[in-house]
Amino acid sequence: MSTPKHGPALDRVRALVREVAKFGAVGGLGVLVNLGVFNLIRSTTDLQVVRASVIATVVAIATNYLGFRYFAYRDRAQSGRTRELALFVAFSVIGLVIENGVLYTATYGFGWDGKLETNAFKFVGIGVATVFRFWSYRTWVFKALPAPAPAPVSLVVGQRDGQAGGQGGTQGGGAPGAPAAPRTPEPAGK
């Protein structure tokens, strides 16, 4: 039976592509929720831009947790939900600061606060924060389960000409030229 030349490396790349696709699907939904809530708040209230953005980000974080836990990373370790949730919140807050820091800088640092500009910089902030979130969630929050241990290798020892081992004429199955293992005397009566 032949094995693919680059099997394990190709399998890892395929797994990473699947993970990125699932993360992207959940993240895409999160972006829609984030931008939708942000624009809803902006059009129906007088809240400042960054405050509206923070509220929208928090709603998207809650949506994303459900998507990550039950879709993107459902095959990952599920023990320690309290720890997982605490880490998710901690890294999400860092992502929230990154995302809204970009918007804050554009709005209050450069005075770009029109609807189109705030949406554009909100989107840029989401993109920058997504890179951080992907790394932190997969590394710390939704850890991969350890690879299964390889099956134990069984040694088959055959008998040949009264000697144990499968290495031609060496005793005990050792390598040719290696010192021979002591022979055990055969029981009397045989």
Side-chain angles (χ1 to χ4, degrees), residues 59-170:
V59 172
I61 287 170
T63 304
N64 285 351
Y65 178 75
L66 296 173
F68 289 137
R69 169 42 52 216
Y70 298 107
F71 174 67
Y73 294 115
R74 71 175 175 244
D75 60 333
R76 301 290 175 98
Q78 294 190 20
S79 61
R81 281 285 170 95
T82 303
R83 177 190 162 281
E84 174 185 284
L85 190 55
L87 286 172
F88 182 83
V89 168
F91 288 120
S92 294
V93 167
I94 294 169
L96 180 144
V97 170
I98 293 169
E99 174 184 329
N100 292 291
V102 170
L103 182 61
Y104 180 89
T105 302
T107 303
Y108 299 111
F110 298 106
W112 297 326
D113 61 353
K115 283 192 179 262
L116 181 62
E117 293 151 332
T118 55
N119 275 292
F121 283 102
K122 173 99 172 128
F123 190 76
V124 168
I126 290 170
V128 173
T130 296
V131 173
F132 169 76
R133 287 178 177 132
F134 178 72
W135 169 80
S136 63
Y137 293 167
R138 78 183 303 262
T139 304
W140 300 102
V141 181
F142 302 107
K143 289 185 173 185
L145 295 171
V153 177
S154 64
L155 298 175
V156 177
V157 179
Q159 295 236 339
R160 183 177 154 190
D161 300 328
Q163 296 177 344
Q167 297 286 336
T170 62

Side-chain angles (χ1 to χ4, degrees), residues 6-21 134 138:
H6 303 287
L10 188 57
D11 289 344
R12 285 193 306 269
V13 169
R14 285 182 180 149
L16 181 61
V17 167
R18 278 191 303 274
E19 181 180 351
V20 168
F134 178 72
R138 78 183 303 262

Side-chain angles (χ1 to χ4, degrees), residues 7-44:
L10 188 57
D11 289 344
R12 285 193 306 269
V13 169
R14 285 182 180 149
L16 181 61
V17 167
R18 278 191 303 274
E19 181 180 351
V20 168
K22 286 180 177 182
F23 187 92
V26 172
L29 177 63
V31 169
L32 292 176
V33 168
N34 198 334
L35 291 173
V37 170
F38 174 67
N39 285 301
L40 180 66
I41 291 172
R42 289 284 315 263
S43 65
T44 60

